[in-house]
Each structure stands twice: as structure tokens, then as C-alpha cells.
Amino acid sequence: MATHRLDESAAGVYIICATPFTDSGELDLDSATRLIDFYIDKGVTGITILGMMGEALKLTPDEAESFLTTVLKHVDGRVPIVVGVSNAGIDNLASLAKISMDNGAAGLMIAPANGLGTDEKIYRYFCQVFDALGDRVPVAYQDYPLSTRSETSVTVFLKLVTEFDQLVMLKHEDWPGLGKVTQVRQMSLEQGVRRVSILAGNGGLYLPQELQRGVDGAMTGFAFPEMLVEVVRLHRAGEIDKAEDLFDAYLPIVRHEQQPGFGLALRKEILHRRGAIASSKVRAPGATLTATDHDELTRLLSRVERNVREL
Amino acid sequence: MATHRLDESAAGVYIICATPFTDSGELDLDSATRLIDFYIDKGVTGITILGMMGEALKLTPDEAESFLTTVLKHVDGRVPIVVGVSNAGIDNLASLAKISMDNGAAGLMIAPANGLGTDEKIYRYFCQVFDALGDRVPVAYQDYPLSTRSETSVTVFLKLVTEFDQLVMLKHEDWPGLGKVTQVRQMSLEQGVRRVSILAGNGGLYLPQELQRGVDGAMTGFAFPEMLVEVVRLHRAGEIDKAEDLFDAYLPIVRHEQQPGFGLALRKEILHRRGAIASSKVRAPGATLTATDHDELTRLLSRVERNVREL
Amino acid sequence: MATHRLDESAAGVYIICATPFTDSGELDLDSATRLIDFYIDKGVTGITILGMMGEALKLTPDEAESFLTTVLKHVDGRVPIVVGVSNAGIDNLASLAKISMDNGAAGLMIAPANGLGTDEKIYRYFCQVFDALGDRVPVAYQDYPLSTRSETSVTVFLKLVTEFDQLVMLKHEDWPGLGKVTQVRQMSLEQGVRRVSILAGNGGLYLPQELQRGVDGAMTGFAFPEMLVEVVRLHRAGEIDKAEDLFDAYLPIVRHEQQPGFGLALRKEILHRRGAIASSKVRAPGATLTATDHDELTRLLSRVERNVREL
Amino acid sequence: MATHRLDESAAGVYIICATPFTDSGELDLDSATRLIDFYIDKGVTGITILGMMGEALKLTPDEAESFLTTVLKHVDGRVPIVVGVSNAGIDNLASLAKISMDNGAAGLMIAPANGLGTDEKIYRYFCQVFDALGDRVPVAYQDYPLSTRSETSVTVFLKLVTEFDQLVMLKHEDWPGLGKVTQVRQMSLEQGVRRVSILAGNGGLYLPQELQRGVDGAMTGFAFPEMLVEVVRLHRAGEIDKAEDLFDAYLPIVRHEQQPGFGLALRKEILHRRGAIASSKVRAPGATLTATDHDELTRLLSRVERNVREL
């Protein structure tokens, strides 16, 4: 079992792991381990499971636990595993958190509850969460208002960082959010607040810009993890233009995957075509691809292939 | 075990059952059975468990199953039990549905998934749900847009009634929604659509008006179920004014309980004061009452007591 | 022209004034002056025009200005007039503000722009607004998240009060919001923040409770302003029970008017029946009453009449 | 004055026109005419003014009218002008519509009112709108749920097309929305519904895919209109790959401009740098660019320039 612990130094690419199902909708643990190997083979630094794009809320708790333990056992410490545990009830959240950490997870990813409309509500929610988790469990804060309808100000985020040592990362996917990255970095410096890791989410749509503004990598799903890995590596090696050239070669697909809801069906189809999972099935309620969607994707993929060849 | 089956003739009061916890937040099954007896003693026709006001999403699945089986066993067929099974994933929904029906539930309560913005999306969602459930499981449609952000038009509701025999009830809690009750009744008649049961939700805030417009009773929580029961009984006995006089005597509390989120803490406190449950605990994230809130409630309750005495 | 200026001592009832139209939808200035006299005759302390329930956004600017100047001239200083100037553009807001104050308004009512999701965004918005208005124009802050989707924390409200002297009032209509009244009062005291006026909105649905928690009156529409006036008067005279008895007698109508959107059509119909305006017309898009709605209202009104007689 | 009339054959690029202000926020009519010439010079087919990205709601009606008449006079029939007239009140909408058509506009752009949650509500709203406009005014339907929170199903759109001859265009900016384009085209054919023009909105983010699925062009803002024009031209000439190559060269900027709210500040800054307008000012409330934002934009622009050179 793993001994990684997520901390403020986290960097690189934590891929948001899809959850594979069979064509008939059963949890497909064979594909899960194959997908994990695929991700590790592509060079990811870590893997985040049971996130929104992992269809976590569509799994029964037994399935979630089964997926979780299978993945953690299969990874066997090769890379750190972060587990998404956001839940409508804090007891449920704490319960999945315990199972995760007991099985060797490196940390948790938690988004604010839905529809928290003020800084106070955000703050109180996370006080309750951290209180339920205890202070030894590392947490990545998922800031994704398009989905949660809860916006997090830089002020309240830094207040939480100041008060809770276990908050070690910002998974940044506010939109627009480039200015927020800069503000978190600047205000941390000015106020002497502990520097946390920031990883870019949002499908990586603005990854080059975010790297230039101070994020440490990406925590997002994309069907070509090797692109994310290489973009982050090049950027850190100072090859900023080369990083962005590579990113731009894939941008048509990044953008295509970025369609809310529908994008997950596309991502799973690409993973399927690449041999990483047996079926592109998305559980209900979820999108399915038409013949037109398939042809369109084929065309986009071949164009990106050409782009990459020509780099 | 029960043999009731929810059908279109359902009428009276189906109380939305609170889920009792201990002060420390553990599921309190002793209080659960006491609360069930309290409800039955007050004359309810049926009981709906694991609804939104039953904090269903804050239970682990094991807790939900434990609560469900305890309640169904304890009720032992005295009244029909409806189980709320709304879930972000249709597989999860179907799984809880199976457990419920296998244990003797009379039917299910299901709301549309969150944020479905067109008639087509509502329609397709319920096609998937009914497909997953099969055609033998009676369903009450929870129409509660304030919470789900999914509005259901009369047109699409009647289309679903026409196509799916297992859809036997509308739990009506759109707001404003008085006109909708009238429209469902009128358009059903005009179009020859099967007449389903309509039970009023929304804390009963407009119950007298809804009864006069053709609802068959209430499916809602209120800490004085005997009022709901008697109002529906009087109305059906033709004593419309007397029904409304009784309702109005309680209206200050009905309105007080109708505060979103906060109302549940008030309801549980009243149930606690009435001896129906051991603790008024609401699980996190949830409201707690301040001393001012307690005093205010005490005052409101004593005024309502007086109102009722003076009727 | 008037010389009132809204300030922190504002108390009593500022009625939210409906905007009368003819049956064909023309602005009806004759009814406007009749309605103003009706309100003053019922004892209101002040009048707020061009609010959300005044269908402000459905008027052309010329109509708004014409309504505004007619009302201010007709009132002729008998009571203070507050003008709702919320607008998607701050320049527009400032322009209507100037016209209002130049014509003798006592102050402005302003809600945060729609969908501001953090304290910082609320704060920055009002900094821009106050900057555009200058420091001599008294402002009532309309806190109505159900409509604006912008929640205001007590913290940010008190920060604005501290920094901007012209912010003299909170029109309180958050829901649930009873705790907020108490918090504003307590935190003001604890932090030595200037005490502002708080007037209850939200149709007055919780007026007795809000008075007991420290609001200074009501700023809301209700078709029986005399009830609001007398409830506030009795409360301030220490006759708390009597105040609440009177309120409860009207509560069935208060609740009936509280239906979002639809309630305005009911309110205008009651004002029409009471002879205050010539037509109950609501401009498109807006609700109209069916025969059933009319009968239901008639019944509710006669019951309230009886309630009041029996007090 | 112009004699164009928008009809179902509309195709090509209708650019969404920015509204220029001076640095101090005054309406800048000199820049307006310069900008119009810039757009026409870049080959646009038509121009849409007073849309959401034209900050229409931040203009006073006098400013809107002044901008409108200035633009229409200056264009002098060279290209058709569509005017955005969406408004919270239908009377206001009709009033601006009349001014627009009287001054030579080719048609109107209208979005559903905010927050209409069912097909029935959408349908009734547009019945009221078309009733107010009369049947001689051509209308483009703006389908932009991310902003309006009103989703339009294909069913209700085709019903409106069937019933109202003046509905001649769909400005398509639902997201995800590629499937919708295909559905509108397919269902129109199957049901024998009149074929309307569909122009892609949403900043053009999926323009190549939309063209391949049957849109007739674009109605959107982008600071390089010549790209949109050429992509549509190439596509129609059958040079699909070349069209997409050109598009992809600009995609990093298309994506950058696509940041909600913030994107408008970027777009105006680019237009300013290109000499089309005197100031990049966005009216309050609105975004401003930091030094970091400026540098980032400079870098992105120079990269796109290189991309285009290398095509």
C-alpha cells in the first residue's frame, strides 16, 4: 500500500480518472486496472479517482469502495492516489474519507457543497468538513463553481489555508479564473500565507496561461494525458513556447472535450479507441454518441494526429 | 410485511417522515420507530421516508437501508410506506428501489434530476427511470423546482402519465403552483388522460386552496400531522370553512417551518418537544437553533395552542 | 418639493408602490396619484416606487421618469419617497438616481447586480455604485437573493456600512433570514458599527418575528397597508401580542400574495377591488387571473374580513 | 436607409458589434462608425448591434437610440443591421423594435426572458413577443441558456417556426449544442418545417463543427472578423480542411475571448490594438485588464500571427 501523502509540493499531472463500465453498465474493474496502467504509462504524477468526471455520484457506495480498493491495490504505491469524496452529507464524506485513507490514498479532493452563496457559508462548511476529517488528512480544494454554484473568493480560500494545515492544494477550475491564480499567488506572498499547490482543472483549457501564472501542474481529465504531462514538463524546463505549441496542437480536442456533460462521453470514447478501456459507456443519466458525433470525432482526432506529427 | 400498493386512488395524508439522529449524529432507530407510531397515532394515511426533508442524501446507503427496513418492519403493514429514491445515478436509484419494494414499500417517490431545462430532458430522464424500474413499481412524481431547478410542464407530466401506467401520483410542490393543480385536473379531463392522485407538498402552505382545486390530500412534513389529517378529513366531509379555520390556526407555524433549510431544524425541534424523537439534531451541513430561535418558537407554539383552543 | 432625506432613523412602513396600468397596458398616472393617496390615507410612513414589484424593468425610461415626477409632485413632501434604481449598468443606475434626487426623492433602493457569488464581488459592486452616486445620496440596500441570486453576508454588509455613510438602511428580504436580522444587530453592537435602519421586506411574511428581532418596520408591498402600519405601531407601543394577532388575521392573504410572480397579479387585483387603482393589469410578461383565481381570492378576502371583525 | 430584410436565406458572418466607449465611459460614436467600417472592411455580411456583448443593458435608452441611428445612418444599406432588443418588459422590447425597424434595421435578435423553465413558458413568452411585434418584423432567436437560464428544446423552437413566419433565424449558442444543430436540421426535414437560417454564436468556439452540421454561418463577436468570414467562405467553397486549419490557427484566441464576462474586455482590447476603436473601456460593472493580462494577450496575439503566417 502507498505511503505518499499529498502536500503543498504536489506538481505535475494528476489525471482525473474515468470510471469504466461495461456496455451494459456494470462497473468494469478489469478496465479500471488497464486504465490505471495506461495513465501511469503516459507519465502522470498522480491519479484522482471518484471525481465528478469519474461519475462518482452514479456509483453505489459498494461500487465506489470496490473501485477504490481495486485501484489502490493495483497502483501499489507507484503514484499517489487522490480520492474525490464530496458528498451532500458530511458524515458520508467523512466515511468515504476514512475508507480512502485506510486503503492508502494520498489525500482527498473536496468541493464546497452546492449553492453556498457567501464567504461565511463557504468558510463554515469547510470548518465542519475539516472538523469531521481531523487534521491529518491532506485535502485538495476543488473550486468549480460552474458545477457547484458555489464561488470561492481568494480571501476565504487563503483564510482556510491559514487556519487548516491539511488544506494543501487548490484544484483551480473557476471560469474565468486566470486572474484568480495570479491573486492567490500574490496575496499569499503579500500576506505571508503558506504557499499551497495549485493544479489546473477545467479540462486544461487554459493550461499554458495558468502555468505562466504560477500553477504547479494540472489535475484534470483529458484523453491524451501524455500531452498534459509533456506540456507541464516543457514548461518547467523553461521551454514555454514549445509547451504551448504542443498544447495548441491538441487544443481542438481539448475544446471538444470541454462540452459540459457531453464531453465525458467523448473522453471515454477516445480512451476506448486508444485501447485503455473496454467500453465507452457513460452511466445514465448521461450522453451517448450518434454516428455524426463519431465521424466528427474521428475527423478531429486525425487532424490532431497530423498536428502532432508536424510539430 | 405490507401489501399496500400505491395507486391513483391514494388520498389523505402521507406524512414526510423526518430521520431522527442522536445528539451526536448517529442514526437513532429507536426514535424512528417511536416517530412512526407518533405519525400513525395522529391518523396519517401513509408515510413517506427518505425524502429531501428526511435528509436522505446525508445517510450512508447502509444507514438508508437500515432505516428503511426498520421502518417497514415496524410499520408491519399498518399504513403504506413510500420511499424517496431520487439519486444522481439511475443505477443507484434502481438499486434503492429494489431494496424498498423487496422490503414491502408501497411505492417510490422520484424527482427529476437537477437542472433539466426542457420538456424533452424531463421526458427522457423519466423514460430512463421507468425503464430501469420496470412497469410494476408505483411512482409518485415529486415536482419541486425550488430544490431541483427542474420545472415540469403540465404537458410533459400528462405525457408521462399517458405512457407509463406506473406513474400514479403527483406530489405537487411547484411554487406558485395553484394554477398547475387546476390545469392538471382540467387537461386530464379534456384529453381523457388517466386521473392520478395529487398530493400537496410544500409544507402544506396552500393546502386549503389546493384541496379546493382538486388535490386528494397532502404528502408533506409538518410537525402537527393531526392538523393535516383533520383538514383533509373536514374538507372531504364538505366542511370547507371548518377545514380552513383549523388550517389557519396553525398557519403561523406552517409558515415558520417553511423557511428553506432552516425549517427542518424547527420541525425536528417541535417533534422533539412533542416527545416523538429523542433529539432535534440535523446532520451537517444543517441548521441549529439559537436561544433566540428557541424562544421565538416557544412563543409561536403557545399562540397556536391558544388558537386551537379557541376554535 | 420634498426635503425628507432617508437616514438611519427610518422606521414605520415604507410601502412598495405598485405601478398602475390601464387594461390595455398604458401607464396610468391617474391611478398612480389615486394609489399614492390611498397609501398615505392608510398611514404609511413612506413610499418606495419603481421596485421589483413596481415592474420597474418593464417601464421605458421615459415612463419611469414620468411616473417618478408625477408621484413626487403629487406627494409634495407629505411622505418620503424612495426610488428603486437597480440596473444592469451602473451608468444607468446613476442617471436614474440623479433624476430621482433632483426631483425630491428621499433616497434610493439598490440591490446587488445579479449572480454575484462572493463577498468580494458584492463589495466591489457597491464600491462602484457608491462611487458613481457620490456620498450625499442615502441608499437602502435591498437584500433579496431569491430574485438577484446574490447573497449578502452580514460581514460584507457591515463592512459597507462602515465605509459608506450614505448606506443607511437594510431592506431585509433574505429567506430564511430571521437569524440575519439578529446577527446584523448583534454584530453591529459588538463591532461598534453604526446602527442602520432595517425594514422587513418579503411581503412581510415574518414581520412579527422580525420586529421582535430588531427591525424598525417594513418596506414591502401588501394590499392592506393599514395592517402593516398598525402591526408596527402596536409593536412599538409594546403591544406585541395584539400586533401579532392582527398580523395573523391577515396571514392567509400575506401568504397568498407571497407566490413568486403570481402574487403581484393578486396584489393588484386587491388594490383594484379596494378602489385604489383602475385596473389590475400586470404588464407582459406577467400573470393574469383565471375565474378560479378570482373566486379563490374572493373567498380568502371574505375570510380575512371576518377574522378582522372578530379580533 | 437600408432595405435589407433578414430572412431564412441569411448566411455568412453577422458580426456582434461591440459598443465603444471613451476611457471615461461616454458613448463614443466616432469609434462606432470607425468600428462599423472596420467590420465591413473585413468582409462581414451583416452586423448585429446592441447584443449582450454590445453591453446593451448598460446603455440608457437615449444612448441606445443614438447608437442605433448613428450606426444605421453610417452603414447606409451597405450591410444588413440586426438589432438586439431583448428586454425584461415586452413593451420596452416592442418600443425599441419599432425604433429599430423605423430606422432601417433588417431584423431583430431576441432571447427568451430569463429563467423560463418549461417549453410552455418559452412558447407563451414568444407568442406574447410576436403578438407585440406584429408579423412583419423578422426575428433571430437567440438561444443562449448559459446567460438566460432558459433552455429551448428543438420541439418548441420548431413549433414557433411553424406558427410564426417572422421567425427566420436561430442564433445558436447552446452549450453543448452540436447535437442540437443536427436535430434542428433533421427534424425540420422530417416534419416538413420551414428551413430557417442557423448562425453559430458562442464566440465561434465550435464553428467548423457547426458548419459541417448545417449552420449557414456565424453571428458572433470575435476580434478578428476576417477569420470568421474566411472560414465560412472556405467551408462553403468545399475547402473544409483549409477552413478548419485557418480556424485552428486562431483557436487559442477564440478560446481566450470565450471567458465569460472577462472575454469582452479582451475583445475590446484587441479591437483597440487593431485601431478599430479608441478605447478598450468596458462599462461598469465590467472587467479591466491587469498588466499580466496585457502581457498574456500580447503573447497570445503574436503566436496567432505566427500561426497564420505559417499556414
Side-chain angles (χ1 to χ4, degrees):
Chain A
M1 282 301 142
T3 52
H4 297 278
R5 282 256 154 177
L6 200 66
D7 64 27
E8 294 86 347
S9 69
V13 173
Y14 282 67
I15 196 80
I16 295 284
C17 181
T19 301
F21 302 105
T22 63
D23 282 338
S24 59
E26 302 298 304
L27 184 61
D28 179 358
L29 292 176
D30 282 347
S31 283
T33 55
R34 202 185 340 154
L35 180 60
I36 291 295
D37 291 338
F38 171 87
Y39 287 141
I40 292 176
D41 188 54
K42 299 303 180 198
V44 302
T45 321
I47 299 176
T48 301
I49 62 173
L50 299 176
M52 295 178 190
M53 287 301 140
E55 301 175 72
L57 293 175
K58 298 183 196 165
L59 301 182
T60 67
D62 287 348
E63 289 173 329
E65 187 167 344
S66 162
F67 180 74
L68 166 77
T69 52
T70 301
V71 166
L72 278 159
K73 193 169 165 199
H74 182 73
V75 167
D76 196 25
R78 287 178 285 168
V79 296
I81 302 294
V82 177
V83 183
V85 297
S86 299
N87 197 287
I90 287 177
D91 293 281
N92 279 354
L93 183 157
S95 155
L96 187 52
K98 186 168 183 334
I99 294 169
S100 302
M101 298 311 289
D102 285 352
N103 279 280
L108 309 173
M109 176 175 70
I110 303 174
N114 288 344
L116 301 178
T118 67
D119 286 14
E120 279 172 32
K121 288 183 180 177
I122 296 269
Y123 175 72
R124 275 186 226 137
Y125 181 76
F126 274 95
C127 287
Q128 289 182 300
V129 165
F130 289 132
D131 188 51
L133 294 179
D135 57 8
R136 308 213 19 220
V137 182
V139 170
Y141 189 111
Q142 186 178 18
D143 182 22
Y144 189 24
L146 189 66
S147 169
T148 61
R149 296 171 292 117
S150 293
E151 289 188 45
T152 302
S153 69
V154 175
T155 306
V156 81
F157 178 71
L158 292 184
K159 184 174 178 185
L160 289 167
V161 170
T162 303
E163 296 189 15
F164 297 98
D165 284 347
Q166 65 266 57
L167 178 48
V168 298
M169 182 189 288
L170 176 64
K171 179 183 197 302
H172 164 71
E173 39 197 350
D174 201 349
W175 184 55
L178 295 175
K180 201 179 214 174
V181 171
T182 302
Q183 281 170 36
V184 171
R185 287 299 182 225
Q186 284 183 347
M187 286 173 63
S188 291
L189 268 182
E190 288 164 22
Q191 301 174 14
V193 175
R194 181 167 47 95
R195 186 195 192 278
V196 295
S197 169
I198 307 181
L199 298 187
N202 232 334
L205 192 62
Y206 299 95
L207 183 56
Q209 282 63 48
E210 290 167 313
L211 286 166
Q212 288 157 34
R213 283 168 180 267
V215 308
D216 303 299
M219 182 185 278
T220 198
F222 179 54
F224 295 88
E226 62 269 38
M227 179 276 275
L228 301 174
V229 168
E230 186 65 4
V231 165
V232 172
R233 192 193 68 75
L234 285 166
H235 176 83
R236 293 168 77 179
E239 307 217 54
I240 297 183
D241 284 312
K242 218 166 157 187
E244 195 154 3
D245 289 344
L246 178 60
F247 177 85
D248 286 353
Y250 283 91
L251 180 51
I253 295 287
V254 172
R255 165 214 56 170
H256 203 57
E257 267 197 20
Q258 199 61 6
Q259 300 176 74
F262 188 67
L264 178 61
L266 292 168
R267 181 181 297 168
K268 284 186 130 178
E269 172 62 20
I270 302 176
L271 289 171
H272 169 60
R273 292 191 187 184
R274 301 190 78 192
I277 57 179
S279 163
S280 61
K281 174 76 180 179
V282 175
R283 272 201 176 169
T288 51
L289 304 189
T290 63
T292 305
D293 298 330
H294 273 283
D295 294 349
E296 184 177 74
L297 180 61
T298 301
R299 178 179 156 78
L300 280 164
L301 289 173
S302 73
R303 288 179 52 82
V304 162
E305 249 176 65
R306 185 208 60 186
N307 290 347
V308 174
R309 266 199 318 272
E310 291 180 356
L311 275 178
Chain B
M1 282 299 144
T3 53
H4 297 277
R5 280 258 155 176
L6 200 66
D7 66 25
E8 295 85 348
S9 69
V13 173
Y14 282 67
I15 197 78
I16 295 285
C17 182
T19 301
F21 302 106
T22 64
D23 282 338
S24 59
E26 301 298 305
L27 184 61
D28 178 358
L29 293 177
D30 283 346
S31 282
T33 55
R34 204 187 335 158
L35 180 60
I36 291 294
D37 291 339
F38 170 86
Y39 287 141
I40 293 177
D41 189 54
K42 299 303 181 197
V44 302
T45 320
I47 298 175
T48 301
I49 62 173
L50 299 177
M52 295 178 191
M53 288 299 140
E55 301 174 70
L57 292 176
K58 297 182 196 165
L59 300 181
T60 67
D62 286 349
E63 288 173 329
E65 187 167 345
S66 161
F67 180 75
L68 165 77
T69 52
T70 300
V71 165
L72 277 159
K73 194 169 167 198
H74 183 72
V75 167
D76 196 24
R78 287 178 285 168
V79 296
I81 302 295
V82 177
V83 183
V85 297
S86 300
N87 195 287
I90 288 178
D91 294 281
N92 279 353
L93 183 157
S95 154
L96 186 53
K98 186 166 182 341
I99 295 169
S100 302
M101 298 311 290
D102 285 353
N103 280 279
L108 308 173
M109 176 173 72
I110 302 174
N114 288 344
L116 302 178
T118 66
D119 286 15
E120 279 173 30
K121 289 184 179 176
I122 296 268
Y123 175 73
R124 275 186 226 138
Y125 180 75
F126 274 94
C127 288
Q128 289 182 299
V129 165
F130 289 132
D131 188 52
L133 294 179
D135 59 6
R136 310 213 20 218
V137 183
V139 169
Y141 189 112
Q142 184 178 21
D143 182 22
Y144 189 25
L146 189 64
S147 169
T148 61
R149 295 172 292 117
S150 293
E151 289 188 47
T152 302
S153 70
V154 175
T155 307
V156 81
F157 179 71
L158 293 183
K159 183 175 179 185
L160 289 167
V161 170
T162 303
E163 297 189 15
F164 297 98
D165 285 347
Q166 63 267 55
L167 178 48
V168 298
M169 181 188 289
L170 176 63
K171 179 183 199 299
H172 164 72
E173 39 197 349
D174 201 350
W175 183 55
L178 295 175
K180 199 179 215 175
V181 172
T182 302
Q183 280 171 36
V184 171
R185 287 299 183 226
Q186 283 182 349
M187 287 173 63
S188 290
L189 268 182
E190 287 164 23
Q191 301 174 15
V193 174
R194 181 167 47 97
R195 185 196 192 279
V196 296
S197 169
I198 308 181
L199 299 186
N202 231 334
L205 193 62
Y206 300 93
L207 183 56
Q209 282 63 48
E210 290 167 313
L211 286 166
Q212 288 157 36
R213 284 169 179 266
V215 308
D216 303 299
M219 182 184 278
T220 198
F222 180 53
F224 295 89
E226 62 268 37
M227 179 277 275
L228 301 174
V229 168
E230 186 65 5
V231 165
V232 172
R233 193 194 65 77
L234 285 167
H235 175 83
R236 294 167 74 178
E239 307 217 57
I240 297 183
D241 284 311
K242 220 167 154 185
E244 194 154 3
D245 289 344
L246 179 60
F247 177 85
D248 286 354
Y250 283 91
L251 181 51
I253 296 287
V254 172
R255 165 213 56 170
H256 203 57
E257 268 196 18
Q258 200 59 8
Q259 300 176 73
F262 188 67
L264 179 61
L266 292 168
R267 181 180 295 166
K268 285 187 129 177
E269 172 62 19
I270 303 176
L271 290 171
H272 170 59
R273 293 191 188 184
R274 299 190 77 192
I277 56 179
S279 163
S280 61
K281 173 78 181 180
V282 174
R283 270 200 177 169
T288 51
L289 304 189
T290 63
T292 305
D293 296 331
H294 273 283
D295 292 349
E296 184 177 72
L297 180 61
T298 301
R299 178 179 155 79
L300 280 165
L301 288 173
S302 74
R303 287 179 52 83
V304 162
E305 251 176 64
R306 187 207 60 183
N307 290 348
V308 174
R309 266 200 317 273
E310 289 179 358
L311 275 179
Chain C
M1 282 298 144
T3 53
H4 297 278
R5 281 257 155 176
L6 200 66
D7 65 27
E8 294 86 346
S9 70
V13 173
Y14 282 67
I15 196 78
I16 295 285
C17 182
T19 302
F21 301 106
T22 64
D23 282 337
S24 58
E26 302 297 306
L27 184 61
D28 178 357
L29 292 177
D30 282 346
S31 284
T33 56
R34 199 178 351 148
L35 180 60
I36 291 294
D37 291 339
F38 171 86
Y39 286 141
I40 293 177
D41 188 55
K42 299 303 180 197
V44 302
T45 321
I47 299 175
T48 301
I49 62 173
L50 299 177
M52 295 179 191
M53 288 300 139
E55 301 174 70
L57 293 175
K58 298 182 196 164
L59 300 182
T60 66
D62 286 348
E63 288 174 330
E65 187 168 346
S66 160
F67 181 74
L68 166 77
T69 52
T70 301
V71 165
L72 278 159
K73 192 169 168 199
H74 183 73
V75 167
D76 196 24
R78 287 178 287 169
V79 297
I81 301 295
V82 176
V83 183
V85 296
S86 299
N87 196 287
I90 288 178
D91 293 281
N92 279 354
L93 183 157
S95 153
L96 186 52
K98 186 169 183 336
I99 295 169
S100 302
M101 299 311 291
D102 286 352
N103 280 280
L108 309 173
M109 177 173 71
I110 302 174
N114 288 343
L116 302 178
T118 66
D119 287 15
E120 279 172 32
K121 289 183 180 176
I122 296 268
Y123 175 72
R124 275 186 226 138
Y125 180 76
F126 273 95
C127 288
Q128 288 181 300
V129 165
F130 289 132
D131 188 51
L133 293 179
D135 58 7
R136 309 217 16 222
V137 182
V139 169
Y141 189 111
Q142 185 178 21
D143 182 22
Y144 189 25
L146 189 65
S147 169
T148 60
R149 296 171 292 115
S150 294
E151 290 188 46
T152 302
S153 69
V154 175
T155 306
V156 80
F157 178 71
L158 293 184
K159 184 174 178 185
L160 289 167
V161 170
T162 302
E163 297 189 14
F164 297 98
D165 284 347
Q166 65 266 56
L167 177 50
V168 297
M169 181 188 289
L170 176 63
K171 179 181 198 300
H172 164 71
E173 40 197 349
D174 201 348
W175 183 56
L178 295 175
K180 199 179 215 176
V181 171
T182 302
Q183 281 171 35
V184 171
R185 287 299 183 225
Q186 282 182 350
M187 286 173 63
S188 290
L189 268 181
E190 287 164 22
Q191 300 174 15
V193 174
R194 181 166 48 97
R195 186 196 191 279
V196 295
S197 169
I198 308 181
L199 299 187
N202 231 333
L205 192 62
Y206 300 94
L207 182 56
Q209 282 64 48
E210 291 167 312
L211 286 166
Q212 288 157 35
R213 285 169 179 265
V215 309
D216 303 299
M219 182 184 277
T220 198
F222 180 52
F224 296 89
E226 61 269 39
M227 181 278 275
L228 300 174
V229 168
E230 186 65 4
V231 165
V232 172
R233 192 194 66 76
L234 285 166
H235 176 84
R236 294 167 76 178
E239 306 218 55
I240 297 182
D241 284 312
K242 221 167 155 184
E244 193 153 4
D245 290 343
L246 178 61
F247 177 84
D248 286 354
Y250 283 91
L251 180 52
I253 296 286
V254 172
R255 167 213 54 171
H256 203 57
E257 269 196 19
Q258 200 61 6
Q259 299 176 74
F262 188 66
L264 178 62
L266 292 168
R267 180 179 297 166
K268 284 186 130 177
E269 172 61 20
I270 303 176
L271 289 172
H272 169 60
R273 292 192 188 184
R274 300 189 78 192
I277 56 179
S279 162
S280 61
K281 173 76 179 180
V282 175
R283 271 200 176 169
T288 51
L289 305 188
T290 63
T292 305
D293 297 331
H294 273 283
D295 293 349
E296 185 178 71
L297 179 61
T298 301
R299 178 180 156 77
L300 280 164
L301 289 173
S302 73
R303 287 179 53 82
V304 162
E305 251 176 61
R306 186 207 60 185
N307 290 347
V308 174
R309 266 198 318 273
E310 290 179 357
L311 275 178
Chain D
M1 283 300 144
T3 52
H4 296 277
R5 282 257 155 175
L6 200 66
D7 65 27
E8 294 85 347
S9 70
V13 174
Y14 283 67
I15 197 80
I16 295 284
C17 181
T19 301
F21 301 106
T22 63
D23 282 336
S24 59
E26 301 297 305
L27 184 61
D28 178 358
L29 293 177
D30 282 347
S31 284
T33 55
R34 201 183 342 152
L35 180 60
I36 291 294
D37 291 339
F38 171 87
Y39 287 141
I40 293 176
D41 188 55
K42 299 302 180 197
V44 302
T45 321
I47 299 175
T48 301
I49 61 173
L50 299 177
M52 295 178 191
M53 288 300 139
E55 301 174 72
L57 293 174
K58 298 182 195 164
L59 300 182
T60 66
D62 287 349
E63 288 173 330
E65 188 168 344
S66 160
F67 181 74
L68 166 76
T69 52
T70 301
V71 165
L72 278 159
K73 193 168 167 201
H74 182 74
V75 167
D76 196 23
R78 286 178 286 168
V79 297
I81 302 294
V82 177
V83 183
V85 297
S86 299
N87 196 287
I90 288 178
D91 293 281
N92 279 354
L93 184 157
S95 154
L96 186 53
K98 188 170 181 335
I99 294 170
S100 302
M101 299 310 291
D102 286 353
N103 280 279
L108 308 172
M109 176 174 71
I110 302 175
N114 288 344
L116 301 178
T118 67
D119 286 14
E120 279 172 34
K121 289 184 179 176
I122 296 269
Y123 175 72
R124 276 187 224 137
Y125 181 75
F126 274 94
C127 288
Q128 289 182 299
V129 165
F130 289 132
D131 188 51
L133 294 180
D135 58 8
R136 311 215 17 220
V137 182
V139 169
Y141 188 111
Q142 185 178 20
D143 182 21
Y144 189 24
L146 189 66
S147 168
T148 61
R149 295 172 292 115
S150 294
E151 289 187 45
T152 302
S153 69
V154 175
T155 307
V156 81
F157 178 71
L158 293 184
K159 185 175 178 184
L160 288 167
V161 170
T162 303
E163 297 189 15
F164 297 98
D165 285 347
Q166 65 266 58
L167 178 49
V168 298
M169 180 188 290
L170 176 63
K171 178 181 199 302
H172 164 71
E173 39 197 349
D174 201 348
W175 183 56
L178 296 175
K180 199 178 215 176
V181 171
T182 302
Q183 281 171 35
V184 171
R185 287 298 182 227
Q186 283 182 348
M187 288 174 62
S188 290
L189 268 181
E190 286 164 23
Q191 301 174 14
V193 174
R194 180 167 49 97
R195 187 196 191 279
V196 295
S197 169
I198 308 180
L199 299 187
N202 232 335
L205 193 62
Y206 300 94
L207 183 56
Q209 282 64 47
E210 292 167 312
L211 286 165
Q212 288 157 35
R213 284 167 180 266
V215 309
D216 303 299
M219 182 185 278
T220 198
F222 179 52
F224 295 88
E226 62 268 39
M227 180 277 275
L228 301 174
V229 167
E230 185 65 4
V231 165
V232 173
R233 192 193 67 76
L234 285 166
H235 176 84
R236 294 168 76 178
E239 307 217 53
I240 297 183
D241 284 312
K242 219 166 156 188
E244 195 154 2
D245 290 343
L246 178 61
F247 177 85
D248 286 353
Y250 284 91
L251 180 52
I253 296 286
V254 172
R255 166 213 56 170
H256 203 57
E257 268 196 20
Q258 200 59 7
Q259 300 177 74
F262 188 66
L264 178 61
L266 292 167
R267 180 180 297 167
K268 284 185 131 178
E269 172 62 19
I270 303 176
L271 289 171
H272 168 60
R273 292 191 188 183
R274 300 189 78 192
I277 56 179
S279 162
S280 62
K281 173 79 180 177
V282 175
R283 271 201 176 169
T288 51
L289 305 189
T290 63
T292 305
D293 297 332
H294 274 283
D295 293 348
E296 184 177 73
L297 180 60
T298 301
R299 177 179 157 77
L300 280 164
L301 289 173
S302 74
R303 287 180 53 82
V304 162
E305 251 174 65
R306 186 208 59 184
N307 291 347
V308 174
R309 266 199 317 272
E310 291 180 357
L311 275 179

